[in-house]
Amino acid sequence: MTLPSQAAIVVIGGGIIGCSTAYHLARDHKADVVLLEQGKLTSGSTWHAAGLVGQLRSSASITRVLKYSVDLYKGLEAETGLATGWKMTGCLRLATNADRWTEYKRLATTAKSFGMDMQLLSPAEVKAMWPLMETGDLVGASWLPTDGQASPSDITQSLAKGARMHGAKLFEDVRVTGFEMKDGRITVVKTSEGDIACDKVVNCAGQWARQVGALAGINVPLQPVKHQYIITEKIDGLATDAPTIRDPDRRTYFKEEVGGLVMGGYEPNPQAWTTGDVPNDWEFRLFDDDYDHFEQHMMQAIARVPALETVGVKQMINGPESFTPDGNFILGTAPECANMFVGAGFNAFGIASGGGAGWVLAQWVVDGEAPLDLWVVDIRRFSNLHRDRQWVCDRTLEAYGKHYTIGFPHEEYASGRPRIVSPLYDRLKQQNAVFGSKLGWERPNWFAPQGIEPRDIYSMGRQNWFAAVGDEHRHVRERVGVFDQSSFAKYELSGPDALKALDWICANDVSRPVGRLTYTQLLNTRGGIEADLTVARLAEETFYIVTGTGFRTHDSSWIGDHIGEGLKATLVDVTEDFGTLSLMGPRARDVLAAVTDTDVSNAAFPFGHVREIAIAGHTIRALRVTYVGELGWELHVPIAATGEVFDALMAAGKKHDIRPVGYRALESLRLEKGYRAWGSDITPNDTPQEAGLGWAVKLRKNTDFIGRRALEKTSGSALKKRFAGFTVDDPDIVLLGRETILRNGEPVGYLTSGGYGYTLGMNIGYGYVRNADEVSDDFLASGDYELVVAMERTPAKIHLEPMYDPAAERVKA
């Protein structure tokens, strides 16, 4: 075997993800690709995967990725001559209680929103499709006919053959031992068989992806977990085309295989393998059978399929699968190294995802940016918190244990908390704060009134915090509230070329004088919205950038990667240097004026400005900006002084009835005001024009910026989708997002976010209305609208302006 001395792209790992990525790089992009596998193809975790292929996720983009896998598997054998074992058997998901049934009604609505026909069946219909099943405890089941199953090894070999047919070179028994780096980029892949110089590296090393990443200083937060399933002897009466079954209330799954059943599950007490390194020689190897641990699945499975009690077990498979701390897989550009891409952590969904993940990852590698909104799987959703191996292990086991539990809205993880707290944590706890967690930060979601236990009680309907959040919401509208937003991600960009760099990166005009702040999007080359943040100019060469907690790694990496070569501009993350107190409400100025000598009148401190002011003897960066549609300031305080400044505000605000307010009220306030949330309402799939944010783009200015060309191409042409708001009068309905929008009875889109507007006294949803010809003002206004909520139609009213705006004058006053 002679390895080439150089290649454009080196793919590490010969499981289904690596082979799919190499196949798509070679087929779609004619790329010069070399794939390296340390053992034999499929020898990691691919070969022992159960091979169920489901397609539905709550993200439209990820659903599209999974649908692509199914389409690819259907046609791959014709292309390569190698069978994939693909069988479109459909999938039944069983429900045994009312909450699960509500979840399925919502899922079926989502599926239809995404163009998939998920049906809801009665227990009798389920019994007819799967006669060997015990159905006495069922409420019903969902049925997705296009789901199915495949043979993991066969698909991978077929993809590998396809990759070779299109010119990729695949090598087995070659271990990657290290990298040569220059200026934070990989230049050479070092292997057991020699070195390969390359332009880009794709880390698809499965459960070794963490170790391979570490060789280049990259963090891939993975935890191998032991996942067991059995393969039974032949079962009389089992049809060869029997649908796959997911029985989440019993935590198990089934699929037909050679006349018998494959049965496994997701237990609440999973077993981690190691938090250390996975042995390199773990090739085609399994753990010893653990029937004691598996017994919990066996009991549940026999109750569902009584024939299992008497049938023999041909084989037990107990192998490691790579899981992540949030149950979503990992794709994309590593933030620590601009030319390493990662495709790993498939949470036992690698076969379902394999085809589509390879397709989008190949595109990402070639373009340097994701082809779709893939935020939920983007590696940049993690932070330095995820370098803590024990924390990652604990959280991953919790996520594994929740794999089949009911997905209640607003549910929070419990493990590894509290991890990062603001200086106000204890003060807010004494005020009965109920905390949520975002990227490790504890944040107050709501405050329990006296006599109410400060904890979330989850349900599918209105939850126990609904009324309390309504009180907080009204308080901000009528008086003044203070939000602890210390978890905001904060950066400083400074240097002689800082403005030049930001001018290229930002869609809005940031070249304003010192003391001004700008709300702006950062766009990709397609004109889609990659980030949404504020930029405050503190000095000629210093800018202060504030963005959402969860986007910390993503946004800093996007900005850092797009500072032009040779420019003198330095980006520094200062998140932990500043606490943030948002003082909001009609009486905010009264409170602020009482604690500072600075003139905070509208004439002296207008909207959209930033000033340094003194409070309690500390210098504060005060940003006049709002996300709630009320007069207010974000006060960025040196972190050690946060408590003192908070106490000063609370003391001065006492006569104005000041109170701390949580993130749930923030959400309902912003919904009424029509502010967009990045990641749901605005994403890399949406342009500012489609999102109604064209006013924040400097197209009139003769300055080039990322995404400008794409926007100019479509400028003046008809928009095919437009962002709109909807209200629903029925108070019993709960809007969460993904509900289908009907116009004159026809589906035209789905909600991107939903909630309740307490000032309006109505449910509020936002989403994009689509039309192949044009979505004109007339098209929007002339329709008769309904929303489909959990498969029920309900009348809705469309809104093209903010729904609550009497405060507009107050905000600017």
Side-chain angles (χ1 to χ4, degrees):
M1 168 189 9
T2 313
L3 285 186
S5 60
Q6 63 184 66
I9 302 164
V10 173
V11 177
I12 302 168
I16 189 165
I17 309 300
C19 288
S20 177
T21 304
Y23 168 81
H24 286 93
L25 281 166
R27 188 195 75 178
D28 298 348
H29 306 285
K30 311 294 178 267
D32 168 24
V33 187
V34 167
L35 180 143
L36 307 175
E37 162 55 47
Q38 66 173 356
K40 297 284 185 266
L41 295 183
T42 78
S43 67
S45 56
T46 297
W47 71 278
H48 63 71
L52 277 72
V53 179
Q55 301 162 84
L56 185 63
R57 294 287 184 284
S58 61
S59 152
S61 290
I62 302 303
T63 299
R64 196 173 145 196
V65 166
L66 299 176
K67 280 166 84 172
Y68 175 92
S69 293
V70 165
D71 292 340
L72 180 71
Y73 301 161
K74 280 182 197 166
L76 200 58
E77 184 177 351
E79 183 189 344
T80 66
L82 290 184
T84 58
W86 167 250
K87 285 202 301 190
M88 197 168 87
T89 54
C91 177
L92 286 166
R93 286 176 176 81
L94 311 181
T96 66
N97 58 66
D99 280 343
R100 181 73 72 182
W101 192 235
T102 301
E103 181 180 48
Y104 285 0
K105 286 192 283 191
R106 288 189 169 278
L107 268 178
T109 305
T110 299
K112 287 188 169 24
S113 290
F114 296 167
M116 299 168 78
D117 187 26
M118 181 181 270
Q119 296 152 29
L120 297 175
L121 307 183
S122 69
E125 289 171 307
V126 173
K127 184 78 174 172
M129 287 174 85
W130 231 94
L132 297 177
M133 192 195 305
E134 176 53 57
T135 56
D137 62 337
L138 294 188
V139 179
S142 71
W143 166 241
L144 198 54
T146 51
D147 278 358
Q149 60 189 73
S151 159
S153 295
D154 290 349
I155 288 186
T156 306
Q157 295 294 353
S158 192
L159 286 166
K161 185 174 178 189
R164 289 191 190 99
M165 284 164 58
H166 292 290
K169 303 179 187 79
L170 281 65
F171 296 92
E172 296 181 314
D173 301 312
V174 180
R175 179 167 301 145
V176 172
T177 55
F179 301 101
E180 280 180 25
M181 316 272 295
K182 189 182 176 197
D183 301 328
R185 294 176 74 87
I186 295 167
T187 54
V188 173
V189 179
K190 304 178 82 60
T191 85
S192 55
E193 302 296 320
D195 295 353
I196 306 178
C198 67
D199 301 326
K200 294 175 180 178
V201 174
V202 194
N203 176 0
C204 300
Q207 57 205 358
W208 291 273
R210 189 190 66 77
Q211 285 144 254
V212 169
L215 296 172
I218 286 155
N219 182 39
V220 185
L222 295 177
Q223 176 59 50
V225 180
K226 297 178 179 182
H227 185 75
Q228 296 192 91
Y229 65 87
I230 56 167
I231 305 168
T232 74
E233 301 284 4
K234 216 165 176 323
I235 297 175
D236 288 338
L238 181 64
T240 53
D241 61 351
T244 59
I245 294 172
R246 288 182 173 82
D247 188 3
D249 295 324
R250 294 184 182 274
R251 300 178 183 271
T252 50
Y253 61 79
F254 304 85
K255 74 160 192 171
E256 186 277 337
E257 187 159 306
V258 204
L261 277 179
V262 166
M263 184 279 286
Y266 291 86
E267 60 276 15
N269 56 336
Q271 297 174 315
W273 181 13
T274 174
T275 55
D277 285 354
V278 173
N280 283 325
D281 59 355
W282 192 270
E283 188 183 343
F284 294 119
R285 280 173 64 187
L286 295 169
F287 304 112
D288 292 338
D289 297 348
D290 187 349
Y291 276 102
D292 287 346
H293 191 71
F294 194 71
E295 187 185 11
Q296 55 190 310
H297 293 319
M298 207 67 220
M299 304 299 291
Q300 296 290 351
I302 289 168
R304 178 64 66 215
V305 183
L308 283 171
E309 194 160 16
T310 51
V311 74
V313 172
K314 205 160 36 176
Q315 191 183 6
M316 171 173 264
I317 306 280
N318 185 4
E321 292 274 6
S322 228
F323 283 82
T324 65
D326 62 3
N328 286 324
F329 51 88
I330 299 175
L331 288 183
T333 321
E336 306 92 336
C337 172
N339 67 338
M340 181 184 266
F341 297 80
V342 179
F346 280 83
N347 303 288
F349 276 130
I351 310 310
S353 321
W359 160 55
V360 291
L361 192 52
Q363 193 77 47
W364 205 329
V365 171
V366 170
D367 293 344
E369 62 182 41
L372 306 169
D373 167 27
L374 297 170
W375 169 240
V376 294
V377 296
D378 194 315
I379 190 168
R380 293 167 297 185
R381 70 189 187 271
F382 300 117
S383 68
N384 282 334
L385 159 75
H386 297 89
R387 291 181 180 276
D388 180 334
R389 300 301 320 284
Q390 192 55 52
W391 190 93
V392 166
C393 179
D394 295 345
R395 177 57 60 89
T396 302
L397 293 181
E398 184 185 5
Y400 179 106
K402 284 184 164 179
H403 193 89
Y404 275 165
T405 58
I406 292 167
F408 288 111
H410 314 291
E411 194 172 350
E412 296 274 352
Y413 283 102
S415 61
R417 293 178 58 187
R419 177 60 185 234
I420 309 169
V421 297
S422 99
L424 303 183
Y425 180 72
D426 290 326
R427 284 173 175 83
L428 298 177
K429 208 169 182 180
Q430 282 169 357
Q431 303 239 21
N432 275 354
V434 181
F435 291 92
S437 166
K438 190 81 170 233
L439 211 63
W441 284 83
E442 292 292 315
R443 314 191 313 173
N445 276 340
W446 61 287
F447 291 82
Q450 286 313 113
I452 302 239
E453 191 188 351
R455 72 179 181 99
D456 286 325
I457 300 172
Y458 299 121
S459 75
M460 280 297 183
R462 294 270 176 241
Q463 297 186 358
N464 66 318
W465 45 263
F466 184 75
V469 169
D471 287 342
E472 292 175 36
H473 173 113
R474 281 182 285 276
H475 204 88
V476 176
R477 286 271 183 257
E478 293 163 13
R479 295 187 182 84
V480 59
V482 62
F483 299 84
D484 178 8
Q485 295 193 279
S486 300
S487 64
F488 269 153
K490 305 169 271 281
Y491 328 105
E492 282 175 10
L493 185 73
S494 54
D497 295 323
L499 175 59
K500 198 172 176 187
L502 282 174
D503 232 3
W504 165 244
I505 292 167
C506 298
N508 207 347
D509 184 5
V510 293
S511 67
R512 296 179 180 187
V514 172
R516 295 296 303 274
L517 62 86
T518 307
Y519 164 71
T520 183
Q521 283 91 47
L522 314 187
L523 307 182
N524 55 40
T525 56
R526 304 188 310 280
I529 301 169
E530 282 289 340
D532 167 78
L533 39 78
T534 54
V535 178
R537 193 170 194 178
L538 301 181
E540 283 299 324
E541 296 184 359
T542 307
F543 294 83
Y544 183 55
I545 302 168
V546 183
T547 189
T549 308
F551 316 137
R552 180 178 181 174
T553 308
H554 174 275
D555 290 5
S556 67
S557 139
W558 181 271
I559 295 166
D561 287 350
H562 291 89
I563 293 172
E565 216 163 304
L567 291 189
K568 291 185 176 130
T570 308
L571 185 71
V572 180
D573 187 320
V574 294
T575 299
E576 274 81 11
D577 295 356
F578 294 93
T580 305
L581 302 174
S582 290
L583 184 69
M584 299 283 156
R587 298 188 190 172
R589 181 175 283 121
D590 301 329
V591 177
L592 194 57
V595 293
T596 184
D597 294 334
T598 305
D599 183 353
V600 294
S601 68
N602 193 52
F605 196 156
F607 188 75
H609 283 63
V610 55
R611 298 269 187 277
E612 287 203 333
I613 67 174
I615 302 177
H618 301 283
T619 303
I620 313 295
R621 291 176 180 174
L623 280 62
R624 177 93 192 272
V625 64
T626 177
Y627 190 56
V628 300
E630 292 293 341
L631 170 70
W633 283 263
E634 271 176 26
L635 304 173
H636 292 253
V637 184
I639 194 96
T642 312
E644 273 181 77
V645 172
F646 176 79
D647 292 344
L649 291 171
M650 293 302 283
K654 199 166 186 183
K655 66 178 183 186
H656 302 291
D657 204 11
I658 195 170
R659 64 181 278 191
V661 181
Y663 271 81
R664 297 243 163 93
L666 187 79
E667 175 67 6
S668 69
L669 289 157
R670 76 99 190 161
L671 284 169
E672 288 188 337
K673 186 67 180 139
Y675 289 131
R676 282 65 160 157
W678 191 84
S680 52
D681 302 323
I682 47 177
T683 75
N685 291 348
D686 312 307
T687 68
Q689 282 88 342
E690 292 166 341
L693 296 170
W695 56 269
V697 179
K698 57 185 178 217
L699 276 177
R700 288 201 190 94
K701 200 178 169 205
N702 193 18
T703 319
D704 200 10
F705 59 90
I706 303 168
R708 178 171 190 130
R709 277 185 206 114
L711 294 187
E712 281 176 337
K713 258 188 210 156
T714 56
S715 188
S717 58
L719 290 171
K720 306 292 170 73
K721 68 173 197 186
R722 275 176 63 186
F723 192 73
F726 297 89
T727 50
V728 171
D729 286 341
D730 184 343
D732 296 330
I733 277 174
V734 178
L735 297 182
L736 299 169
R738 307 291 171 271
E739 293 85 359
T740 308
I741 303 166
L742 301 178
R743 178 185 177 275
N744 300 341
E746 293 299 315
V748 289
Y750 53 87
L751 297 189
T752 50
S753 62
Y756 193 78
Y758 294 91
T759 313
L760 298 177
M762 288 183 203
N763 290 293
I764 298 175
Y766 288 98
Y768 290 87
V769 174
R770 293 165 167 81
N771 182 29
D773 297 328
E774 180 188 4
V775 183
S776 62
D777 286 352
D778 186 51
F779 178 86
L780 288 170
S782 62
D784 194 9
Y785 291 93
E786 295 168 286
L787 296 178
V788 184
V789 185
M791 299 298 279
E792 300 283 333
R793 289 159 73 141
T794 185
K797 189 177 168 200
I798 193 166
H799 300 260
L800 303 179
E801 299 294 328
M803 298 173 195
Y804 174 78
D805 223 15
E809 301 316 308
R810 292 211 294 267
V811 169
K812 303 279 165 67

